[in-house]
Amino acid sequence: MGIAIASFFSGTMLYRCQVLVASFHKRNLEVPTDSTLLYETHDKHSAIEGSRKLEHTEEFKCLDKAAILSDVEIKSGEFSDPLRVCTVTQVEEFKILIRMFPIWATGIIFFAAYAQMSTLFVEQGMMMDTSIGSFTIAAASLSTFDVISVIFWVPYL
């Protein structure tokens, strides 16, 4: 799981960290009340190849600072430094990731417990007499009884 998490974050770490770094650089600036004043490309599509633009949301307003155009950037017309200026879409994608984190984190706990439970069934099955008359149930297939019982009982709960 650790390797999977590391590979996931290594692929998107720089892109996602741009929002954090840019908002940290602009921590002293005020977020405008009008979200149209935040930086976004004027194209129909997002600056990110293959993705669409996202609408601004009101959550995590401190991250919106990454999309503020400072006076220096407006005067120079230079918006290419990704560690200083991010688009609204980049900020909103990062906000989505933050909102998904609690679901993802609780999913890790569930699936770790679920994996332990299925290996326990195999261990128990190897020690049990799994024959019913002339029919023998393989130890590795005992975990299917857990799945079948969940499928059966969930609609009734």
Side-chain angles (χ1 to χ4, degrees):
M1 187 55 88
I3 293 170
I5 291 170
S7 65
F8 171 74
F9 282 118
S10 68
T12 58
M13 185 61 80
L14 179 62
Y15 173 73
R16 301 296 183 214
C17 284
Q18 290 173 1
V19 174
L20 290 175
V21 171
S23 36
F24 179 76
H25 282 297
K26 297 179 180 185
R27 65 188 174 276
N28 296 327
L29 297 178
E30 280 292 318
V31 178
T33 54
D34 184 9
S35 65
T36 60
L37 298 175
L38 297 173
Y39 176 67
E40 183 61 272
T41 59
H42 297 291
D43 300 336
K44 182 180 179 181
H45 297 286
S46 171
I48 303 144
E49 186 72 29
S51 68
R52 60 183 176 89
K53 289 183 181 180
L54 297 174
E55 295 292 323
H56 178 260
T57 60
E58 295 298 318
E59 293 178 302
F60 304 112
K61 290 199 71 80
C62 61
L63 295 174
D64 289 340
K65 292 181 179 191
I68 296 173
L69 292 175
S70 67
D71 293 336
V72 174
E73 293 157 347
I74 292 171
K75 286 178 186 174
S76 68
E78 182 62 38
F79 311 125
S80 63
D81 185 0
L83 296 177
R84 294 284 183 181
V85 180
C86 296
T87 63
V88 171
T89 298
Q90 286 176 301
V91 173
E92 291 304 319
E93 286 177 350
F94 189 70
K95 288 179 183 181
I96 289 169
L97 200 67
I98 291 172
R99 287 190 298 260
M100 286 175 39
F101 184 76
I103 298 166
W104 177 74
T106 56
I108 288 175
I109 295 167
F110 169 76
F111 284 110
Y114 188 76
Q116 283 292 355
M117 186 173 56
S118 64
T119 57
L120 180 62
F121 277 141
V122 174
E123 289 291 324
Q124 285 179 332
M126 290 171 45
M127 303 304 283
M128 291 171 50
D129 177 19
T130 58
S131 58
I132 301 173
S134 63
F135 183 73
T136 303
I137 301 171
S141 66
L142 288 175
S143 62
T144 59
F145 290 107
D146 177 50
V147 175
I148 291 169
S149 67
V150 168
I151 290 171
F152 178 75
W153 286 109
V154 164
Y156 298 107
L157 299 178

PDB file of all heavy atoms in Angstrom, residues 46-73:
ATOM      1  N   SER A  46      -9.253  23.658 -20.503  1.00  0.00           N
ATOM      2  CA  SER A  46      -8.299  23.939 -19.436  1.00  0.00           C
ATOM      3  C   SER A  46      -6.880  23.998 -19.992  1.00  0.00           C
ATOM      4  O   SER A  46      -6.602  23.514 -21.086  1.00  0.00           O
ATOM      5  CB  SER A  46      -8.402  22.835 -18.382  1.00  0.00           C
ATOM      6  OG  SER A  46      -7.365  22.956 -17.451  1.00  0.00           O
ATOM      7  N   ALA A  47      -5.980  24.572 -19.210  1.00  0.00           N
ATOM      8  CA  ALA A  47      -4.567  24.602 -19.586  1.00  0.00           C
ATOM      9  C   ALA A  47      -3.961  23.204 -19.512  1.00  0.00           C
ATOM     10  O   ALA A  47      -2.916  22.937 -20.095  1.00  0.00           O
ATOM     11  CB  ALA A  47      -3.804  25.552 -18.672  1.00  0.00           C
ATOM     12  N   ILE A  48      -4.625  22.306 -18.820  1.00  0.00           N
ATOM     13  CA  ILE A  48      -4.158  20.933 -18.681  1.00  0.00           C
ATOM     14  C   ILE A  48      -4.717  20.130 -19.840  1.00  0.00           C
ATOM     15  O   ILE A  48      -5.927  20.103 -20.064  1.00  0.00           O
ATOM     16  CB  ILE A  48      -4.612  20.336 -17.340  1.00  0.00           C
ATOM     17  CG1 ILE A  48      -4.112  21.213 -16.208  1.00  0.00           C
ATOM     18  CG2 ILE A  48      -4.136  18.911 -17.184  1.00  0.00           C
ATOM     19  CD1 ILE A  48      -5.062  21.301 -15.073  1.00  0.00           C
ATOM     20  N   GLU A  49      -3.842  19.504 -20.593  1.00  0.00           N
ATOM     21  CA  GLU A  49      -4.236  18.754 -21.782  1.00  0.00           C
ATOM     22  C   GLU A  49      -5.277  17.689 -21.455  1.00  0.00           C
ATOM     23  O   GLU A  49      -5.083  16.874 -20.568  1.00  0.00           O
ATOM     24  CB  GLU A  49      -2.996  18.092 -22.397  1.00  0.00           C
ATOM     25  CG  GLU A  49      -3.246  17.402 -23.709  1.00  0.00           C
ATOM     26  CD  GLU A  49      -3.488  18.372 -24.849  1.00  0.00           C
ATOM     27  OE1 GLU A  49      -2.958  19.493 -24.804  1.00  0.00           O
ATOM     28  OE2 GLU A  49      -4.205  17.988 -25.784  1.00  0.00           O
ATOM     29  N   GLY A  50      -6.392  17.703 -22.157  1.00  0.00           N
ATOM     30  CA  GLY A  50      -7.407  16.667 -22.018  1.00  0.00           C
ATOM     31  C   GLY A  50      -8.391  16.864 -20.887  1.00  0.00           C
ATOM     32  O   GLY A  50      -9.221  16.004 -20.640  1.00  0.00           O
ATOM     33  N   SER A  51      -8.322  17.970 -20.174  1.00  0.00           N
ATOM     34  CA  SER A  51      -9.276  18.175 -19.082  1.00  0.00           C
ATOM     35  C   SER A  51     -10.106  19.425 -19.348  1.00  0.00           C
ATOM     36  O   SER A  51      -9.765  20.252 -20.180  1.00  0.00           O
ATOM     37  CB  SER A  51      -8.551  18.287 -17.741  1.00  0.00           C
ATOM     38  OG  SER A  51      -7.795  19.466 -17.691  1.00  0.00           O
ATOM     39  N   ARG A  52     -11.196  19.527 -18.641  1.00  0.00           N
ATOM     40  CA  ARG A  52     -12.083  20.667 -18.818  1.00  0.00           C
ATOM     41  C   ARG A  52     -11.920  21.617 -17.643  1.00  0.00           C
ATOM     42  O   ARG A  52     -11.396  21.265 -16.598  1.00  0.00           O
ATOM     43  CB  ARG A  52     -13.527  20.199 -18.924  1.00  0.00           C
ATOM     44  CG  ARG A  52     -14.012  19.459 -17.701  1.00  0.00           C
ATOM     45  CD  ARG A  52     -15.430  18.954 -17.897  1.00  0.00           C
ATOM     46  NE  ARG A  52     -15.850  18.173 -16.765  1.00  0.00           N
ATOM     47  CZ  ARG A  52     -16.436  18.668 -15.684  1.00  0.00           C
ATOM     48  NH1 ARG A  52     -16.660  19.948 -15.590  1.00  0.00           N
ATOM     49  NH2 ARG A  52     -16.802  17.890 -14.691  1.00  0.00           N
ATOM     50  N   LYS A  53     -12.396  22.820 -17.817  1.00  0.00           N
ATOM     51  CA  LYS A  53     -12.332  23.811 -16.749  1.00  0.00           C
ATOM     52  C   LYS A  53     -13.339  23.462 -15.663  1.00  0.00           C
ATOM     53  O   LYS A  53     -14.403  22.918 -15.933  1.00  0.00           O
ATOM     54  CB  LYS A  53     -12.639  25.204 -17.293  1.00  0.00           C
ATOM     55  CG  LYS A  53     -11.554  25.773 -18.161  1.00  0.00           C
ATOM     56  CD  LYS A  53     -11.923  27.180 -18.577  1.00  0.00           C
ATOM     57  CE  LYS A  53     -10.870  27.769 -19.471  1.00  0.00           C
ATOM     58  NZ  LYS A  53     -11.213  29.135 -19.873  1.00  0.00           N
ATOM     59  N   LEU A  54     -13.000  23.809 -14.433  1.00  0.00           N
ATOM     60  CA  LEU A  54     -13.887  23.588 -13.301  1.00  0.00           C
ATOM     61  C   LEU A  54     -14.342  24.938 -12.753  1.00  0.00           C
ATOM     62  O   LEU A  54     -13.582  25.906 -12.750  1.00  0.00           O
ATOM     63  CB  LEU A  54     -13.168  22.797 -12.207  1.00  0.00           C
ATOM     64  CG  LEU A  54     -12.728  21.384 -12.578  1.00  0.00           C
ATOM     65  CD1 LEU A  54     -11.911  20.781 -11.445  1.00  0.00           C
ATOM     66  CD2 LEU A  54     -13.921  20.511 -12.896  1.00  0.00           C
ATOM     67  N   GLU A  55     -15.567  24.964 -12.286  1.00  0.00           N
ATOM     68  CA  GLU A  55     -16.108  26.180 -11.688  1.00  0.00           C
ATOM     69  C   GLU A  55     -15.529  26.394 -10.294  1.00  0.00           C
ATOM     70  O   GLU A  55     -15.232  25.440  -9.582  1.00  0.00           O
ATOM     71  CB  GLU A  55     -17.632  26.090 -11.596  1.00  0.00           C
ATOM     72  CG  GLU A  55     -18.327  26.034 -12.940  1.00  0.00           C
ATOM     73  CD  GLU A  55     -18.203  27.330 -13.714  1.00  0.00           C
ATOM     74  OE1 GLU A  55     -18.251  28.406 -13.082  1.00  0.00           O
ATOM     75  OE2 GLU A  55     -18.039  27.263 -14.945  1.00  0.00           O
ATOM     76  N   HIS A  56     -15.417  27.633  -9.903  1.00  0.00           N
ATOM     77  CA  HIS A  56     -14.902  27.987  -8.578  1.00  0.00           C
ATOM     78  C   HIS A  56     -15.892  27.581  -7.489  1.00  0.00           C
ATOM     79  O   HIS A  56     -17.105  27.714  -7.656  1.00  0.00           O
ATOM     80  CB  HIS A  56     -14.665  29.502  -8.527  1.00  0.00           C
ATOM     81  CG  HIS A  56     -14.195  29.966  -7.202  1.00  0.00           C
ATOM     82  ND1 HIS A  56     -15.036  30.552  -6.282  1.00  0.00           N
ATOM     83  CD2 HIS A  56     -12.973  29.919  -6.624  1.00  0.00           C
ATOM     84  CE1 HIS A  56     -14.347  30.863  -5.203  1.00  0.00           C
ATOM     85  NE2 HIS A  56     -13.096  30.484  -5.386  1.00  0.00           N
ATOM     86  N   THR A  57     -15.372  27.062  -6.380  1.00  0.00           N
ATOM     87  CA  THR A  57     -16.198  26.727  -5.217  1.00  0.00           C
ATOM     88  C   THR A  57     -15.745  27.576  -4.033  1.00  0.00           C
ATOM     89  O   THR A  57     -14.654  28.133  -4.037  1.00  0.00           O
ATOM     90  CB  THR A  57     -16.081  25.238  -4.842  1.00  0.00           C
ATOM     91  OG1 THR A  57     -14.711  24.940  -4.520  1.00  0.00           O
ATOM     92  CG2 THR A  57     -16.555  24.348  -5.974  1.00  0.00           C
ATOM     93  N   GLU A  58     -16.570  27.635  -3.019  1.00  0.00           N
ATOM     94  CA  GLU A  58     -16.285  28.488  -1.864  1.00  0.00           C
ATOM     95  C   GLU A  58     -15.477  27.779  -0.775  1.00  0.00           C
ATOM     96  O   GLU A  58     -15.050  28.414   0.178  1.00  0.00           O
ATOM     97  CB  GLU A  58     -17.596  29.015  -1.270  1.00  0.00           C
ATOM     98  CG  GLU A  58     -18.353  29.935  -2.211  1.00  0.00           C
ATOM     99  CD  GLU A  58     -17.569  31.192  -2.556  1.00  0.00           C
ATOM    100  OE1 GLU A  58     -16.937  31.776  -1.657  1.00  0.00           O
ATOM    101  OE2 GLU A  58     -17.587  31.572  -3.726  1.00  0.00           O
ATOM    102  N   GLU A  59     -15.306  26.482  -0.878  1.00  0.00           N
ATOM    103  CA  GLU A  59     -14.571  25.743   0.150  1.00  0.00           C
ATOM    104  C   GLU A  59     -13.069  26.009   0.030  1.00  0.00           C
ATOM    105  O   GLU A  59     -12.569  26.296  -1.056  1.00  0.00           O
ATOM    106  CB  GLU A  59     -14.825  24.243   0.009  1.00  0.00           C
ATOM    107  CG  GLU A  59     -16.231  23.838   0.318  1.00  0.00           C
ATOM    108  CD  GLU A  59     -16.421  22.358   0.119  1.00  0.00           C
ATOM    109  OE1 GLU A  59     -16.185  21.880  -1.000  1.00  0.00           O
ATOM    110  OE2 GLU A  59     -16.802  21.704   1.089  1.00  0.00           O
ATOM    111  N   PHE A  60     -12.363  25.868   1.136  1.00  0.00           N
ATOM    112  CA  PHE A  60     -10.904  25.999   1.192  1.00  0.00           C
ATOM    113  C   PHE A  60     -10.430  27.279   0.496  1.00  0.00           C
ATOM    114  O   PHE A  60      -9.564  27.252  -0.369  1.00  0.00           O
ATOM    115  CB  PHE A  60     -10.220  24.774   0.574  1.00  0.00           C
ATOM    116  CG  PHE A  60     -10.631  23.477   1.187  1.00  0.00           C
ATOM    117  CD1 PHE A  60     -11.380  22.560   0.465  1.00  0.00           C
ATOM    118  CD2 PHE A  60     -10.272  23.151   2.479  1.00  0.00           C
ATOM    119  CE1 PHE A  60     -11.764  21.357   1.018  1.00  0.00           C
ATOM    120  CE2 PHE A  60     -10.646  21.948   3.042  1.00  0.00           C
ATOM    121  CZ  PHE A  60     -11.398  21.051   2.308  1.00  0.00           C
ATOM    122  N   LYS A  61     -10.998  28.399   0.906  1.00  0.00           N
ATOM    123  CA  LYS A  61     -10.700  29.681   0.265  1.00  0.00           C
ATOM    124  C   LYS A  61      -9.227  30.057   0.373  1.00  0.00           C
ATOM    125  O   LYS A  61      -8.728  30.808  -0.465  1.00  0.00           O
ATOM    126  CB  LYS A  61     -11.577  30.780   0.846  1.00  0.00           C
ATOM    127  CG  LYS A  61     -13.028  30.613   0.430  1.00  0.00           C
ATOM    128  CD  LYS A  61     -13.846  31.841   0.581  1.00  0.00           C
ATOM    129  CE  LYS A  61     -13.576  32.932  -0.357  1.00  0.00           C
ATOM    130  NZ  LYS A  61     -14.123  32.867  -1.683  1.00  0.00           N
ATOM    131  N   CYS A  62      -8.528  29.518   1.360  1.00  0.00           N
ATOM    132  CA  CYS A  62      -7.103  29.841   1.488  1.00  0.00           C
ATOM    133  C   CYS A  62      -6.314  29.346   0.270  1.00  0.00           C
ATOM    134  O   CYS A  62      -5.294  29.930  -0.094  1.00  0.00           O
ATOM    135  CB  CYS A  62      -6.538  29.257   2.772  1.00  0.00           C
ATOM    136  SG  CYS A  62      -6.628  27.473   2.884  1.00  0.00           S
ATOM    137  N   LEU A  63      -6.788  28.284  -0.380  1.00  0.00           N
ATOM    138  CA  LEU A  63      -6.108  27.778  -1.575  1.00  0.00           C
ATOM    139  C   LEU A  63      -6.372  28.654  -2.799  1.00  0.00           C
ATOM    140  O   LEU A  63      -5.619  28.614  -3.771  1.00  0.00           O
ATOM    141  CB  LEU A  63      -6.534  26.339  -1.859  1.00  0.00           C
ATOM    142  CG  LEU A  63      -6.135  25.316  -0.799  1.00  0.00           C
ATOM    143  CD1 LEU A  63      -6.729  23.965  -1.116  1.00  0.00           C
ATOM    144  CD2 LEU A  63      -4.623  25.216  -0.688  1.00  0.00           C
ATOM    145  N   ASP A  64      -7.437  29.454  -2.750  1.00  0.00           N
ATOM    146  CA  ASP A  64      -7.744  30.350  -3.866  1.00  0.00           C
ATOM    147  C   ASP A  64      -6.655  31.393  -4.070  1.00  0.00           C
ATOM    148  O   ASP A  64      -6.544  31.984  -5.143  1.00  0.00           O
ATOM    149  CB  ASP A  64      -9.084  31.054  -3.645  1.00  0.00           C
ATOM    150  CG  ASP A  64     -10.253  30.104  -3.781  1.00  0.00           C
ATOM    151  OD1 ASP A  64     -10.093  29.033  -4.403  1.00  0.00           O
ATOM    152  OD2 ASP A  64     -11.341  30.438  -3.265  1.00  0.00           O
ATOM    153  N   LYS A  65      -5.849  31.619  -3.072  1.00  0.00           N
ATOM    154  CA  LYS A  65      -4.768  32.593  -3.184  1.00  0.00           C
ATOM    155  C   LYS A  65      -3.781  32.215  -4.275  1.00  0.00           C
ATOM    156  O   LYS A  65      -3.106  33.070  -4.830  1.00  0.00           O
ATOM    157  CB  LYS A  65      -4.056  32.751  -1.842  1.00  0.00           C
ATOM    158  CG  LYS A  65      -4.936  33.399  -0.801  1.00  0.00           C
ATOM    159  CD  LYS A  65      -4.219  33.581   0.506  1.00  0.00           C
ATOM    160  CE  LYS A  65      -5.167  34.254   1.492  1.00  0.00           C
ATOM    161  NZ  LYS A  65      -4.490  34.686   2.690  1.00  0.00           N
ATOM    162  N   ALA A  66      -3.711  30.939  -4.611  1.00  0.00           N
ATOM    163  CA  ALA A  66      -2.806  30.494  -5.678  1.00  0.00           C
ATOM    164  C   ALA A  66      -3.231  31.045  -7.031  1.00  0.00           C
ATOM    165  O   ALA A  66      -2.411  31.153  -7.940  1.00  0.00           O
ATOM    166  CB  ALA A  66      -2.761  28.972  -5.721  1.00  0.00           C
ATOM    167  N   ALA A  67      -4.507  31.394  -7.181  1.00  0.00           N
ATOM    168  CA  ALA A  67      -5.019  31.899  -8.458  1.00  0.00           C
ATOM    169  C   ALA A  67      -5.150  33.416  -8.488  1.00  0.00           C
ATOM    170  O   ALA A  67      -5.666  33.972  -9.449  1.00  0.00           O
ATOM    171  CB  ALA A  67      -6.370  31.249  -8.762  1.00  0.00           C
ATOM    172  N   ILE A  68      -4.673  34.085  -7.447  1.00  0.00           N
ATOM    173  CA  ILE A  68      -4.712  35.549  -7.428  1.00  0.00           C
ATOM    174  C   ILE A  68      -3.554  36.079  -8.276  1.00  0.00           C
ATOM    175  O   ILE A  68      -2.431  35.587  -8.172  1.00  0.00           O
ATOM    176  CB  ILE A  68      -4.589  36.089  -5.988  1.00  0.00           C
ATOM    177  CG1 ILE A  68      -5.786  35.658  -5.147  1.00  0.00           C
ATOM    178  CG2 ILE A  68      -4.456  37.605  -5.993  1.00  0.00           C
ATOM    179  CD1 ILE A  68      -5.650  36.023  -3.684  1.00  0.00           C
ATOM    180  N   LEU A  69      -3.848  37.067  -9.084  1.00  0.00           N
ATOM    181  CA  LEU A  69      -2.788  37.732  -9.849  1.00  0.00           C
ATOM    182  C   LEU A  69      -2.291  38.914  -9.032  1.00  0.00           C
ATOM    183  O   LEU A  69      -3.058  39.833  -8.736  1.00  0.00           O
ATOM    184  CB  LEU A  69      -3.317  38.201 -11.198  1.00  0.00           C
ATOM    185  CG  LEU A  69      -3.689  37.091 -12.179  1.00  0.00           C
ATOM    186  CD1 LEU A  69      -4.310  37.680 -13.426  1.00  0.00           C
ATOM    187  CD2 LEU A  69      -2.487  36.259 -12.521  1.00  0.00           C
ATOM    188  N   SER A  70      -1.015  38.870  -8.663  1.00  0.00           N
ATOM    189  CA  SER A  70      -0.442  39.972  -7.882  1.00  0.00           C
ATOM    190  C   SER A  70      -0.144  41.144  -8.806  1.00  0.00           C
ATOM    191  O   SER A  70      -0.139  41.014 -10.040  1.00  0.00           O
ATOM    192  CB  SER A  70       0.831  39.508  -7.169  1.00  0.00           C
ATOM    193  OG  SER A  70       1.831  39.225  -8.118  1.00  0.00           O
ATOM    194  N   ASP A  71       0.136  42.293  -8.207  1.00  0.00           N
ATOM    195  CA  ASP A  71       0.436  43.489  -8.994  1.00  0.00           C
ATOM    196  C   ASP A  71       1.660  43.281  -9.875  1.00  0.00           C
ATOM    197  O   ASP A  71       1.705  43.737 -11.010  1.00  0.00           O
ATOM    198  CB  ASP A  71       0.656  44.692  -8.060  1.00  0.00           C
ATOM    199  CG  ASP A  71      -0.629  45.095  -7.348  1.00  0.00           C
ATOM    200  OD1 ASP A  71      -1.719  44.795  -7.887  1.00  0.00           O
ATOM    201  OD2 ASP A  71      -0.543  45.689  -6.256  1.00  0.00           O
ATOM    202  N   VAL A  72       2.660  42.580  -9.356  1.00  0.00           N
ATOM    203  CA  VAL A  72       3.895  42.321 -10.117  1.00  0.00           C
ATOM    204  C   VAL A  72       3.586  41.483 -11.348  1.00  0.00           C
ATOM    205  O   VAL A  72       4.084  41.761 -12.450  1.00  0.00           O
ATOM    206  CB  VAL A  72       4.932  41.614  -9.213  1.00  0.00           C
ATOM    207  CG1 VAL A  72       6.160  41.212 -10.006  1.00  0.00           C
ATOM    208  CG2 VAL A  72       5.300  42.495  -8.039  1.00  0.00           C
ATOM    209  N   GLU A  73       2.749  40.467 -11.179  1.00  0.00           N
ATOM    210  CA  GLU A  73       2.408  39.597 -12.307  1.00  0.00           C
ATOM    211  C   GLU A  73       1.552  40.322 -13.340  1.00  0.00           C
ATOM    212  O   GLU A  73       1.721  40.124 -14.547  1.00  0.00           O
ATOM    213  CB  GLU A  73       1.669  38.353 -11.797  1.00  0.00           C
ATOM    214  CG  GLU A  73       2.562  37.453 -10.958  1.00  0.00           C
ATOM    215  CD  GLU A  73       1.790  36.549 -10.016  1.00  0.00           C
ATOM    216  OE1 GLU A  73       0.579  36.763  -9.807  1.00  0.00           O
ATOM    217  OE2 GLU A  73       2.422  35.633  -9.479  1.00  0.00           O
TER     218      GLU A  73
END
